[in-house]
Amino acid sequence: MVKKELLRMRQVYIAKAGHRGLNNFCFHMNEGEIIYILGYNGAGKTTLYDYFNGKLPLESGKIEFDGQICLTGEHFPYVYKVVCLGKDSTLIPGLTVAENIFIINRKRKAWNLVNMTNVMYRAKLLLSQYAPELSPKTLVRNLSPADRRIVELLRAIENEAKMVFLDDVLQGFGQSDLRRIRRVLQDLKNKNISVICASHEVTIQPFHPDRVVAMRQGTIVRCYYEQDYAEQRVRNLLLGREFEPTFQKKSYCTDEIIFSMYHDDIDRKRPYIAAKKGEIIGVYDKDNRKNIYLLQMILGKVHSDEYEMFFEDEVYVPENFNEVIEKRISYMAEGTRDVPLVDTMNFGENISLPILQRICHQHPLHVRKMTEVLNKEYGPKLKIPKKRWQDKTDCLDAYTRVCIFMECMLLFQPKMMICIEPWVGGDLTFQDMIMYNLMRMAKQGAAVLIASQNMNDLRSVCDSIYVVSEENHTAMKYII
């Protein structure tokens, strides 16, 4: 059966931040189709997302959506027919699952008249069909990230949306969570709701899309069906050349143990996890839960009586993050999200902060001269044009911000570096830069611990990998 065409875009140009994010972009999709749009940073995926989210106007070209023509110079007029999910959740944490699905509803006319009995009944009916593991009375703040995404997708069914657009939101989830999200996406497809999954991740296996569309420099360069898809060929196509890593894996691991963790149910002669100076360790869990939980214990974010930790041969029980910093343990959150820089400072002032922590009684004139020296040294290295040296860091792109943060950490010289999904949201060049800098930290003598559910990425940089799971109290160690 031939499905009705939902969207057609011809020779579309859309500008974002002074440059064309979409450049002669041509695209079409049918009702009930799942399309995976693949492109590295700067390819134009987010520009496309922002247009359908009503943030950017159509500069030129022709767009037909659900049989209606979108006018040039205007924003997308049918945002109520599209559910756009970006990196930030669209749910309200203080409301229940039922309230988020039904009260915040684009179909509802009278916002002040809500029958809660009816809302709960409809929520139970919807959840029993698509997500029986969720309760309609649960507060959103108590849901896991995967559960929140599922609730957002269910809102598309209630709103009778025509299309769902996911912009790089499914990275970092474990295999079981991805399977649950995939089932909901398949349910959307069965209800003739089209789905666009935009991502930089070349592994498409969890989604089984109808088509894969490769983007580069704002235009489509190739369309694949699943049976024709080859990851390495696509990587080279997206980059416009064969990818060559800028670093070669080396080991700087010593014999001196700096950190160890023990479990109550395991022989105390053998640590659950042990990290040596200069060692890069991967902590892997296919569901991406237990590994993150263990590293969050090191950061003092969660506490457990089942584990005992030692840092530099002393009992280590951090009550807050300040105690973690005092031990010179540093932390990198998920990739490009929430890069911990001082946005009101320029890049040189940010890089100077680790130095100022050690020489805090400096005259302001000396600090200014030091910042000028750092600008001259790190500006070319970070590829920041001289005319932008005084710009605040919140004006810089995510890649450059992470580069600045890594240089700050190298000057801080941490004894241990904790990374949780450090390359989420980045492409191959971003991942390569992260791995290169983590290896520089290991060369300085830092122990580096990385939590990830991507075994191939961990193998690329780690000296050893611990495989953990919620079902098992033991951790299997593999030497790479």
Side-chain angles (χ1 to χ4, degrees), residues 9 28 60 65 69 84 88 90 130 280 302 360 372 381 415 438 449-450 462:
M9 306 175 74
H28 79 278
S60 65
F65 182 84
I69 295 177
C84 293
D88 297 325
T90 59
Y130 300 105
I280 301 180
V302 295
C360 56
E372 291 175 357
K381 183 188 294 187
K415 293 182 179 180
L438 292 179
L449 278 75
I450 308 171
C462 293

Side-chain angles (χ1 to χ4, degrees), residues 3 72 84 193 216 220 258 262 468:
K3 291 194 174 183
T72 302
C84 293
I193 299 175
R216 189 176 73 221
I220 291 176
I258 190 173
Y262 294 85
V468 300

